[in-house]
Amino acid sequence: DADVTQTPRNRITKTGKRIMLECSQTKGHDRMYWYRQDPGLGLRLIYYSFDVKDINKGEISDGYSVSRQAQAKFSLSLESAIPNQTALYFCATSAQDRRPTDTQYFGPGTRLTVL
Amino acid sequence: KQEVTQIPAALSVPEGENLVLNCSFTDSAIYNLQWFRQDPGKGLTSLLLIQSSQREQTSGRLNASLDKSSGRSTLYIAASQPGDSATYLCAVQSYNTDKLIFGTGTRLQVFP
């Protein structure tokens, strides 16, 4: 089974709807991240969490909110979706101890389309 | 603000060719530099991670080099195969943050 899972994998919704994207991990990592990927812009960080009680805004947090329900679960919400939030969304995790050899482990992504 | 650029944006080569992907970054105060591979529907997979104190890392047919002073890294793929077709992303992690800053990627197609 995959270490980092995302649900749903694809979602089409309408402007103004509330959407929640979910991420679960079995790696036992404390740190979790949400990114979005747009053509020509690479991945950009939306929110990140170092543990259940520590949540931080990333580069592009406006229009998004997150919830860290448990060490293994990190959800991203769009309270009122708009078309320019159409993108590929990735969840990632990393270990607690910050070492120069640490990498992030990514989920398969959620493709969101807002009409 | 750290910025990461990848050239070329797309590359199409015949099977068997050796190729080089380029990555440049603006702030040399990095913790590490990573190369990821992105396949459609499968997320990102870490290929190589070079610590700031290292000059290169190798894994199989892949070799990544790092020149921190000039803000450059290259990913060398030897004897390319159709299975290497994917998007390759470069990302840097700065000393003062745990965030990864990604480049826009190079989309590679290797045809038989």
Side-chain angles (χ1 to χ4, degrees), chain B residues 30-95:
Chain B
I30 64 170
Y31 201 53
N32 62 46
L33 181 143
Q34 302 178 47
W35 284 92
F36 290 87
R37 170 180 171 140
Q38 182 178 12
D39 293 282
K42 294 185 179 181
L44 280 69
T45 302
S46 180
L47 296 173
L48 290 165
L49 184 153
I50 310 175
Q51 300 175 48
S52 62
S53 59
Q54 297 175 326
R55 297 282 294 184
E56 67 176 351
Q57 281 284 342
T58 298
S59 177
R61 294 181 294 108
L62 305 180
N63 176 275
S65 67
L66 173 64
D67 184 343
K68 220 170 55 164
S69 61
S70 67
R72 294 182 181 180
S73 175
T74 60
L75 179 66
Y76 176 83
I77 303 177
S80 58
Q81 303 170 358
D84 295 329
S85 298
T87 297
Y88 290 82
L89 296 166
C90 167
V92 299
Q93 186 172 17
S94 299
Y95 263 110

